[in-house]
Amino acid sequence: MPKTYPPSAKTIANAHITAENYGPMYEQSINDPDTFWGEHGKRVDWIKPYTKVKNTSFEPGNVDIKWFEDGTLNVSANCVDRHVETRGDQTAIIWEPDDPNTTESMHITYAELQVHVCKMANILQSLGVSKGDRVVLYLPMIPEAAYAMLACARIGAIHSIVFAGFSADALGARINGSDAKVVITADHAPRGGRSTPLKSNADAALLHCKESVKCLVVKRTGEQTTWTDRDYNYNDMLLEADDYQKPQEMNAEDPLFILYTSGSTGQPKGVVHTTGGYLVYASMTHQYTFDYHDGDVFWCTADVGWVTGHSYIVYGPLANGATTIMFEGVPTYPDAGRFWEVCAKHKVNQFYTAPTAIRALMGAGNEWVEKHDLSDLRLLGSVGEPINPEAWNWYNDVVGKGNCPIVDTFWQTETGGHMLTPLPGATTLKPGAAQQPFFGVKPVVLDPQSGDVVHGNDVEGVLCIGDSWPGQMRTIYGDHERFEKTYFGDYAGYYFSGDGCKRDEDGDYWVTGRVDDVINVSGHRMGTAEVESALVAHVAVAEAAVVGYPHDIKGQGIYAYVTLMNNQEPSDELRKELEKWVRAEIGPIAKPDLIQWAPGLPKTRSGKIMRRILRKIAEDDFGALGDTSTLADPSVVDDLIENRMNGS
Ligand code: 6R9
């Protein structure tokens, strides 16, 4: 039996949620959601209070999700204005630059934040943006990213953030996909000592967009950029912009943002989150999962280009009047002590990062941690993929010195906030398990073949959710049918997460990873179909199949089997060319780690690629190939095994 970690008396004494109140609160959240959320919905300020709480259906053909549907509110007023009255001088955002040797960190108070957000809102309005319009953000991790998110929320515009690591092509597809009116970008994005030319990427993307799309350019490095007729200089416009703007009254179900994420088929889909339920859920999970208390300094190391940055750098913490850190850099620059240096410098109390970063820093050696004073740390969090016990133990022993509970939070872009997570004052921790459902979350384990509910403990299956929770996505932008099919099509009446899980003998949940064709590379979600379609778009490529394989640091690496056109010879040069090609089509995070030349791919007689076999070969698990007799040409498998690439 592996070691478990009960909450310490000190943690319990101060905790919002303990073993005593978790049980009854959870029961009520499931059995009487109207009363539970009717009460907890009041944690945010409503302009017009709701009288209806939950109105949701997972019924096939009629999936419809509404929370607090007759209430009105404004997210920016909740994240900014209401704190200006009570804590205007408190720091809202601490900005920590990529390079601490050339650039100072910044503290932005709630009162200052209000001015920045209002100015940005006025600038957007002057560019013709109004309620319901879409605005794409393609920005470094600078405070302007948060100002822009909150400015959109203030005027009722819908933001869609594109991670600055995505290519011009990916950006263009997302601008067109949401029919955005304005793109906000910066000249350059410094990261890890290197600089990405964001504005040039945006220019390249905009060549394929409607001429009417405007580009608002924020100065970050001051490096030269080209200037076109559609460009507007944010820093010049700031000088003229009014410093107040009244927040728009929004319905609880008005969209707040779109965020593209990868699925198992087709191109990325625009996940839509709405205003009321999302804010209630983001703020409540932030407070309870991290046991956040007034005055604490909270640091989530994610990028605002991912959902984790939306919910736990900006919306959750700011709704709670927290001090939140926005970090522009990477864990290993200028050196492998950067995270810990920042923790010490800003006296961080709760620290939230991804297993891939923990593994990389574990490999760098304990001395990088031990150099810095981490005595203010009270809690550690993990997100993005299952955390392996070695990494968990190192995080616990070396970073937390055995004094900081670790919350392993399982959730998704689609869920808005934490779904399964330990609560520090209530849960006896098991390394590697996300353990318990958050309030309102009803996990159900289903048999993947029959779709039957698997009852009892010590069982395995696919992870579904039996009923709606306020932070749930409402639809896929412009394609409600795809939404129903993707999440409710496989198991009628349930939201299907795409993950496998087991429920152990104590009833704790362990998420075991995706059961579909989504891979998880350094905590980034990637659809194998996306990488395949990028590869086959190259003239030399006839066919491609992409799978994940175990990778020591990244969790999973990208393994691509590529069949070349008849007239093409395999070469190292071509391999490099294909790597570069995928980087340009999608972005650096999609670059294949290994490319194997495959004269043929294992296919069934009906022409379907047998990915199961490709996965096993990539995993170096030849013994378990299973039945290959249904293959049209079983001999291709021998060739693939013989020429398997090594490289983890
Ligand atoms: C928040 C976020 C979602 C996928 C999800 C699952 C994996 C996330 C996890 C985890 C095990 C955890 N995942 N957290 N697996 N334990 N604590 O990461 O959202 O980018 O949409 O990814 O990540 O496979 O389905 P997103």
Side-chain angles (χ1 to χ4, degrees), residues 261 307-308 382-387 408-414 434 497 499 511 513-514 520 523 525:
T261 193
V307 74
T308 307
S382 173
V383 60
E385 55 174 313
I387 179 166
D408 175 2
T409 61
F410 165 83
W411 60 295
Q412 309 176 297
T413 307
E414 293 88 340
S497 66
D499 284 285
V511 179
R514 302 288 302 200
N520 194 327
R525 248 170 96 164

Side-chain angles (χ1 to χ4, degrees), residues 312-539:
Y312 301 112
I313 295 176
V314 178
Y315 291 120
L318 295 180
N320 292 337
T323 298
T324 181
I325 297 189
M326 244 182 124
F327 175 52
E328 190 181 31
V330 299
T332 48
Y333 180 81
D335 59 45
R338 186 67 195 281
F339 271 2
W340 323 122
E341 179 218 320
V342 174
C343 282
K345 178 170 166 191
H346 300 300
K347 303 192 180 323
V348 169
N349 302 111
Q350 292 96 354
F351 177 75
Y352 189 33
T353 197
T356 184
I358 299 168
R359 286 191 296 266
L361 296 175
M362 177 170 77
N366 296 358
E367 61 274 21
W368 294 106
V369 190
E370 283 154 6
K371 267 206 251 190
H372 301 283
D373 174 9
L374 299 181
S375 55
D376 289 297
L377 277 182
R378 247 186 18 242
L379 173 136
L380 302 170
S382 173
V383 60
E385 55 174 313
I387 179 166
N388 49 310
E390 300 74 34
W392 197 101
N393 287 330
W394 183 82
Y395 205 24
N396 182 58
D397 299 344
V398 180
V399 179
K401 320 273 186 268
N403 298 320
C404 302
I406 296 178
V407 288
D408 175 2
T409 61
F410 165 83
W411 60 295
Q412 309 176 297
T413 307
E414 293 88 340
T415 71
H418 304 147
M419 296 300 280
L420 301 173
T421 177
L423 295 174
T427 314
T428 293
L429 304 174
K430 293 180 181 173
Q435 295 193 281
Q436 291 293 309
F438 193 78
F439 302 122
V441 175
K442 191 176 169 187
V444 180
V445 179
L446 296 187
D447 180 279
Q449 265 75 46
S450 65
D452 292 343
V453 176
V454 181
H455 295 283
N457 288 342
D458 203 6
V459 293
E460 258 186 85
V462 292
L463 174 62
C464 289
I465 309 293
D467 200 354
S468 183
W469 63 100
Q472 182 173 23
M473 75 183 282
R474 302 301 195 254
T475 192
I476 290 174
Y477 188 75
D479 199 347
H480 196 71
E481 216 179 292
R482 186 175 176 202
F483 170 65
E484 291 213 10
K485 186 164 172 285
T486 307
Y487 301 104
F488 303 89
D490 291 342
Y491 305 102
Y494 296 97
Y495 167 83
F496 174 41
S497 66
D499 284 285
C501 85
K502 59 183 189 191
R503 186 166 50 222
D504 71 13
E505 57 285 359
D506 305 319
D508 282 314
Y509 291 88
W510 301 68
V511 179
T512 48
R514 302 288 302 200
V515 294
D516 53 10
D517 288 320
V518 170
I519 53 181
N520 194 327
V521 183
S522 299
H524 300 317
R525 248 170 96 164
M526 188 61 59
T528 52
E530 277 171 79
V531 186
E532 286 164 8
S533 79
L535 282 167
V536 294
H538 190 281
V539 286

Side-chain angles (χ1 to χ4, degrees), residues 223-299:
E223 282 163 274
Q224 193 98 38
T225 58
T226 47
W227 209 257
T228 73
D229 286 347
R230 60 168 27 134
D231 297 337
Y232 292 81
N233 185 321
Y234 167 78
N235 301 78
D236 284 352
M237 293 177 88
L238 264 187
L239 306 172
E240 309 281 318
D242 228 34
D243 60 10
Y244 184 74
Q245 199 199 66
K246 194 169 174 273
Q248 276 273 350
E249 181 170 356
M250 303 300 289
N251 181 270
E253 285 301 338
D254 283 333
L256 177 64
F257 66 84
I258 302 169
L259 184 58
Y260 281 83
T261 193
S262 298
S264 50
T265 54
Q267 289 304 309
K269 39 190 189 266
V271 166
V272 176
H273 282 287
T274 58
T275 301
Y278 171 80
L279 191 68
V280 167
Y281 201 71
S283 78
M284 187 163 162
T285 46
H286 171 259
Q287 185 185 12
Y288 290 165
T289 303
F290 302 115
D291 200 39
Y292 186 88
H293 291 261
D294 266 354
D296 288 344
V297 176
F298 178 79
W299 184 16

Side-chain angles (χ1 to χ4, degrees), residues 100-164:
N101 299 317
T102 59
T103 317
E104 295 285 322
S105 48
M106 272 194 289
H107 285 67
I108 300 134
T109 66
Y110 274 98
E112 290 164 344
L113 181 62
Q114 186 180 42
V115 173
H116 289 297
V117 170
C118 286
K119 286 190 173 210
M120 179 74 88
N122 282 314
I123 290 172
L124 287 175
Q125 239 176 17
S126 75
L127 297 180
V129 178
S130 55
K131 190 170 169 171
D133 289 339
R134 276 78 54 211
V135 175
V136 165
L137 275 56
Y138 185 61
L139 285 165
M141 280 288 289
I142 52 178
E144 284 80 0
Y147 306 161
M149 293 166 78
L150 294 162
C152 287
R154 199 166 185 93
I155 61 180
I158 304 164
H159 62 70
S160 168
I161 307 191
V162 178
F163 175 57

